[in-house]
Amino acid sequence: MNRRLLMFFVFIVSATCLSAKEGMWIPTLLQKYNIEEMSQMGFKLSAADIYDVNHASMKDAVVSFGGGCTGGVISNDGLLITNHHCGYGEIQNHSSVEHDYLTNGFWAMNKSEELPNPMLTVQFLVKMEDVTDKIMTDVKDSLTQGGRLDLIQRNTSEVIKEYISGTGYSAQVKPLFNGNQYFVYVYETFRDVRLVGAPPSAIGKFGGDTDNWVWPRHTGDFSLFRIYADKNNKPAKYSPNNVPYHPKKFFPINLKSLKEGDFTMVFGYPGTTQRYIPSQAVNLIANQSDPAKVAIRTAKLDILNTMMNSSAKIRIQYAGKYASTSNSWKKWQGEVKGLQRLDAVNLKKSGELEFTKWVNENPDRIKKYGTILSDFEKLYGEYLPYQSVNDYYTECVQRSTDIFSLASRIEPIEVAGKDDLRKMEIKKVKDFLVDYLKDYDKTTDGKVWSALMQIYLEKVDHRFLPEKLLKQLPKISNIQVLTTIYNKSLLSDSLKIKKLVENFGARSIKELQKDQAYSMYKMISQQFKAKVDFPFRDIFAKIGAVQKKYTAALMEMNAGKRMMADANSTLRVAYGRVEGYKPVDGVTFKYFTTIKGVIEKDNPAIYDYNVPEALRKIYRTHDFGQYVNDTGEVPVAFCASNHTTGGNSGSPVVNANGELIGLNFDRGWEGTMSDIVYDPDVCRNISLDMHYALFIIDKFAGAGYLLKEMEIVK
Ligand code: ARG
Ligand code: GLU
């Protein structure tokens, strides 16, 4: 290698070492793998300050929020901060046209005004441990695949029993490194979590879906909740007698100005990454699966958009459905772009070439790992068509329209053999109908349903379509015909459906069987179960077994080096620095935005950019109090090089002293492929700056009383 080239590599290695970092690290292994590097980067605390089972540590101030997000405790009275988009379902639930908290925000002015949320839970991690040996006890290579899985299942139940007996906790065993290790996670779950405050969407969702996944950003993406407990500070179901929970630890909030290069750490629950998948899988995602799903959702979102703009009621009813449909839709587009830009398929292929070279160096390796890559090639070849139908099925049929989501719940009533079973299913649907009907609009869902059915009938390989529907093609694959079927269906008639469920009897079954939309649901789902589901799962399991072996081989190949475990919705630490980036040639992004940018974007004619008048007014007077940074403006958001993914929303972002400086809520557009391939140059997480959160609470909402229970460091 010539000297210049060598210099270049030395430079890359040292430069990337000191800044952007791939990795979502395991809290119990920080001491071994990370703390030295973290300290070099400026972190001032110890691994035990982050995770400790014997003393209060940061982990005692982090919760898994509602199963899909993260939150951080910020007061000794159980005050909890998470994203606005994480509390969105609850805020929507409490909203009506008369009390539209989505539009106007909500602020409890004292504890008695806080709103209970019966469906919401938060979990604290009590402890986690490596239980690989226990789970793998007697699991021998000589067993069949089924036998291995059964034994793993039995060992898992034993471990869970052992870890929770007599505690009131719950536990979960999860595989790491694609099944090469197992960890147990013990949780304490709180069930009385009340809404304390939420800014209006024009702040909490400012920039809406236009700015989503994009830096620079000006979204005040936070909401406040409070955890309640019984008199002994233990979890309890909602009761007016419950009292605020006193946590073992809560985060102090730091209001100093952030500097580029400052150490940051994100502590939360990242959902899924796929760091070790082969080139075939990347190809499948970038060239088949993501594009197909994006096209389907484009059709759905266009309809929802038009309908939601036509009525305030529909806008509230479909707010949550729209947000979640649009969120992945946009992410997949960024992911495809990023994978293409990095030429990820070929990048994986060259890694696989290295791997083959390593395997071929040694006969033992050839015996153990020699067929991995050809197995992948064969299995992914078989998998492709099934993955395709599965994508169409999940996007067009399975709970993607209101009436099909209803049909999937009514079917168990219809097929229930025994009376008591039927009664149970009826009760479930009755409960389900309450929220369902509140958020159901016949015209909107009818348009979505017809459009998605047409796509399904046209795009799905004919061998996977029910014969009866196949015979009716192409006549039935027509919007007018489908709309008629929809409008005639009793599933689309709120009154009839309520009656049917309330007086369910033999006649109801006949009625259902005559209903064309309902029978389409049954035909399509039965065909899917019969022709797709089994082979799809079967091949997927075989791919999983090869993936496990491949990951084991990669671990052997990289022995002594640190490897990240893929995210699996368990508590992880990511660390990096506050830093901007260069998204494209000629452009450099700064690392923070301010309220000035909110006002620059202000445009009353565009829903996503319509700044509330009260905020404009504060801006005109520059009444910013203690919430400014060095620029004299209120900082709104910052970007940093922490490796994060979906589920990390609401994760506390702390500084070198473990003080809260932000709340993670997104990734930058150029880095959305980081679940699959990480690019340190452009992968950035986006966080709300705590200055803005406190400014909104205090100056905008007039709920400054809440700051009294926080610990603020200046
Ligand atoms: N993109 C962020 C995440 O993945 C935020 C989504 C919510 N915001 C929105 N405009 N839909 O969840
Ligand atoms: N908004 C995402 C969430 O809800 C976090 C962004 C990401 O995927 O990194 O978890």
Side-chain angles (χ1 to χ4, degrees):
M1 198 183 296
N2 73 36
R3 229 185 104 82
R4 268 182 61 193
L5 206 60
L6 184 74
M7 286 295 292
F8 176 72
F9 278 112
V10 170
F11 173 75
I12 291 194
V13 171
S14 55
T16 50
C17 271
L18 282 175
S19 65
K21 280 274 161 280
E22 175 180 21
M24 303 165 180
W25 305 104
I26 296 173
T28 49
L29 301 178
L30 294 174
Q31 185 59 39
K32 186 166 169 193
Y33 291 121
N34 310 92
I35 201 72
E36 197 182 319
E37 179 182 68
M38 292 171 80
S39 306
Q40 278 166 13
M41 289 171 68
F43 187 55
K44 302 234 168 61
L45 307 177
S46 69
D49 291 321
I50 300 174
Y51 177 98
D52 193 348
V53 280
N54 300 316
H55 302 98
S57 60
M58 264 184 240
K59 80 144 171 60
D60 300 312
V62 181
V63 296
S64 162
F65 182 91
C69 277
T70 308
V73 183
I74 52 171
S75 91
N76 193 38
D77 275 342
L79 190 64
L80 188 68
I81 187 162
T82 185
N83 290 142
H84 183 264
H85 80 263
C86 294
Y88 203 65
E90 282 71 30
I91 304 165
Q92 180 188 343
N93 242 325
H94 292 294
S95 292
S96 59
V97 176
E98 298 74 41
H99 296 279
D100 185 351
Y101 301 141
L102 283 178
T103 303
N104 306 316
F106 167 80
W107 301 96
M109 283 305 160
N110 55 60
K111 293 202 177 76
S112 74
E113 287 179 9
E114 297 173 355
L115 302 173
N117 304 285
M119 303 301 281
L120 178 65
T121 59
V122 301
Q123 295 190 309
F124 288 89
L125 179 70
V126 177
K127 62 175 168 183
M128 57 184 289
E129 270 171 34
D130 186 337
V131 287
T132 313
D133 292 343
K134 290 181 181 171
I135 300 295
M136 296 311 281
T137 306
D138 296 330
V139 180
K140 305 234 161 59
D141 280 343
S142 55
L143 292 173
T144 61
Q145 171 81 349
R148 289 169 60 90
L149 292 179
D150 281 349
L151 191 52
I152 290 178
Q153 192 55 51
R154 251 181 291 146
N155 291 345
T156 299
S157 308
E158 287 299 314
V159 167
I160 290 180
K161 237 193 281 160
E162 173 195 334
Y163 274 82
I164 62 174
S165 85
T167 61
Y169 298 147
S170 66
Q172 220 179 12
V173 169
K174 289 214 163 170
L176 283 123
F177 291 107
N178 297 306
N180 287 291
Q181 287 178 10
Y182 288 89
F183 272 67
V184 68
Y185 302 85
V186 179
Y187 296 104
E188 183 168 40
T189 305
F190 285 81
R191 303 178 186 283
D192 186 354
V193 185
R194 304 184 196 169
L195 178 64
V196 175
S201 294
I203 289 173
K205 209 185 162 182
F206 183 74
D209 292 295
T210 318
D211 284 7
N212 194 15
W213 296 107
V214 173
W215 180 257
R217 192 68 154 275
H218 298 88
T219 313
D221 199 345
F222 77 98
S223 56
L224 296 170
F225 287 79
R226 190 185 303 281
I227 307 171
Y228 279 79
D230 67 15
K231 298 216 163 61
N232 304 316
N233 209 31
K234 282 282 160 203
K237 267 177 58 182
Y238 169 80
S239 154
N241 301 325
N242 286 346
V243 292
Y245 170 66
H246 301 305
K248 289 199 198 81
K249 150 114 196 137
F250 65 91
F251 287 109
I253 296 168
N254 187 300
L255 286 186
K256 287 195 191 99
S257 295
L258 295 179
K259 301 264 176 312
E260 183 132 41
D262 280 354
F263 175 88
T264 55
M265 178 185 126
V266 178
F267 204 8
Y269 283 84
T272 318
T273 57
Q274 299 176 283
R275 183 61 184 76
Y276 303 108
I277 52 175
S279 53
Q280 294 88 348
V282 177
N283 179 46
L284 174 73
I285 294 168
N287 297 317
Q288 176 181 304
S289 195
D290 279 1
K293 292 187 293 188
V294 167
I296 300 166
R297 290 198 179 192
T298 303
K300 179 172 177 177
L301 289 166
D302 282 348
I303 295 167
L304 289 182
N305 233 323
T306 313
M307 294 307 295
M308 288 165 76
N309 282 332
S310 74
S311 127
K313 186 166 172 221
I314 298 176
R315 185 174 48 69
I316 297 173
Q317 286 178 316
Y318 284 82
K321 292 172 204 164
Y322 187 92
S324 57
T325 307
S326 131
N327 193 40
S328 313
W329 166 80
K330 195 160 179 190
K331 183 200 151 174
W332 291 326
Q333 296 176 59
E335 187 169 80
V336 170
K337 273 192 137 177
L339 292 174
Q340 280 166 350
R341 184 166 34 78
L342 293 178
D343 195 11
V345 173
N346 285 318
L347 206 67
K348 283 280 182 188
K349 279 191 180 153
S350 40
E352 286 158 14
L353 232 80
E354 288 291 307
F355 175 72
T356 308
K357 251 188 6 218
W358 175 80
V359 172
N360 288 338
E361 277 166 12
N362 169 324
D364 266 357
R365 289 183 200 152
I366 297 179
K367 220 167 101 195
K368 260 165 66 188
Y369 304 131
T371 65
I372 288 178
L373 295 179
S374 56
D375 288 346
F376 272 140
E377 182 68 19
K378 178 176 153 284
L379 288 167
Y380 273 103
E382 293 170 21
Y383 188 64
L384 233 65
Y386 291 104
Q387 171 72 44
S388 171
V389 214
N390 186 67
D391 284 337
Y392 281 102
Y393 186 77
T394 42
E395 290 298 317
C396 298
V397 180
Q398 202 181 41
R399 305 201 170 170
S400 48
T401 57
D402 293 329
I403 64 159
F404 269 7
S405 126
L406 178 62
S408 73
R409 289 167 163 99
I410 287 189
E411 196 186 4
I413 307 183
E414 190 213 331
V415 300
K418 294 205 189 84
D419 247 13
D420 43 347
L421 205 67
R422 172 162 292 159
K423 270 195 200 128
M424 212 177 75
E425 294 297 341
I426 290 178
K427 161 96 177 59
K428 272 198 231 160
V429 179
K430 265 192 201 157
D431 294 345
F432 168 75
L433 277 180
V434 180
D435 281 342
Y436 172 88
L437 291 176
K438 176 174 174 277
D439 290 339
Y440 173 70
D441 177 70
K442 181 168 175 169
T443 316
T444 306
D445 189 52
K447 283 179 194 274
V448 172
W449 185 86
S450 313
L452 296 191
M453 273 301 98
Q454 190 182 34
I455 294 177
Y456 194 81
L457 295 171
E458 277 174 8
K459 295 284 186 186
V460 167
D461 189 333
H462 282 185
R463 71 186 151 122
F464 299 124
L465 285 182
E467 219 168 294
K468 201 166 154 199
L469 288 181
L470 205 53
K471 279 195 193 130
Q472 294 172 359
L473 284 178
K475 201 180 132 233
I476 189 174
S477 163
N478 169 299
I479 291 291
Q480 253 119 46
V481 176
L482 288 165
T483 307
T484 312
I485 295 176
Y486 186 95
N487 287 336
K488 276 197 195 149
S489 169
L490 67 100
L491 296 176
S492 69
D493 188 320
S494 305
L495 288 177
K496 280 195 191 150
I497 205 71
K498 254 173 117 168
K499 255 208 220 138
L500 178 103
V501 174
E502 260 148 36
N503 314 306
F504 201 91
R507 268 219 11 232
S508 324
I509 295 187
K510 279 215 185 97
E511 261 180 89
L512 279 171
Q513 285 167 350
K514 269 198 336 231
D515 193 279
Q516 211 179 340
Y518 183 71
S519 33
M520 273 173 78
Y521 171 77
K522 281 189 65 174
M523 271 191 278
I524 292 175
S525 60
Q526 278 166 8
Q527 180 79 357
F528 183 83
K529 274 177 209 131
K531 289 269 165 77
V532 184
D533 210 26
F534 180 74
F536 178 66
R537 281 168 199 264
D538 183 52
I539 306 170
F540 187 71
K542 286 182 182 141
I543 289 177
V546 181
Q547 183 69 59
K548 177 181 169 192
K549 219 197 300 178
Y550 185 41
T551 311
L554 289 174
M555 289 164 92
E556 192 179 319
M557 182 173 155
N558 291 292
K561 289 189 203 144
R562 182 176 74 181
M563 274 170 78
M564 75 164 265
D566 272 318
N568 62 349
S569 296
T570 60
L571 188 59
R572 298 291 178 90
V573 170
Y575 52 91
R577 292 181 186 286
V578 171
E579 54 181 321
Y581 66 107
K582 296 189 165 68
V584 284
D585 185 39
V587 179
T588 303
F589 281 158
K590 220 166 67 176
Y591 65 94
F592 71 98
T593 60
T594 69
I595 189 168
K596 189 166 169 230
V598 175
I599 299 301
E600 281 169 1
K601 282 182 178 171
D602 184 14
N603 184 345
I606 303 176
Y607 185 79
D608 286 344
Y609 297 117
N610 190 3
V611 175
E613 183 50 33
L615 192 60
R616 289 187 194 124
K617 221 160 126 196
I618 301 175
Y619 191 77
R620 283 197 288 270
T621 60
H622 264 62
D623 173 21
F624 297 154
Q626 58 175 335
Y627 308 109
V628 291
N629 70 3
D630 299 345
T631 67
E633 302 280 344
V634 183
V636 172
F638 63 91
C639 71
S641 49
N642 302 281
H643 190 190
T644 53
T645 187
N648 265 130
S649 274
S651 298
V653 184
V654 302
N655 64 11
N657 295 317
E659 295 152 349
L660 193 67
I661 52 174
L663 208 57
N664 185 74
F665 71 95
D666 214 353
R667 269 176 287 172
W669 183 242
E670 297 74 14
T672 41
M673 69 296 163
S674 67
D675 297 348
I676 299 161
V677 190
Y678 190 84
D679 177 358
D681 289 341
V682 296
C683 284
R684 295 291 178 272
N685 68 308
I686 300 176
S687 307
L688 167 75
D689 192 306
M690 285 310 289
H691 287 89
Y692 195 52
L694 298 196
F695 163 78
I696 292 294
I697 296 170
D698 182 5
K699 298 281 180 180
F700 174 83
Y705 81 95
L706 287 166
L707 270 66
K708 294 205 181 89
E709 58 183 294
M710 303 175 195
E711 186 184 318
I712 295 173
V713 184
K714 278 189 275 189

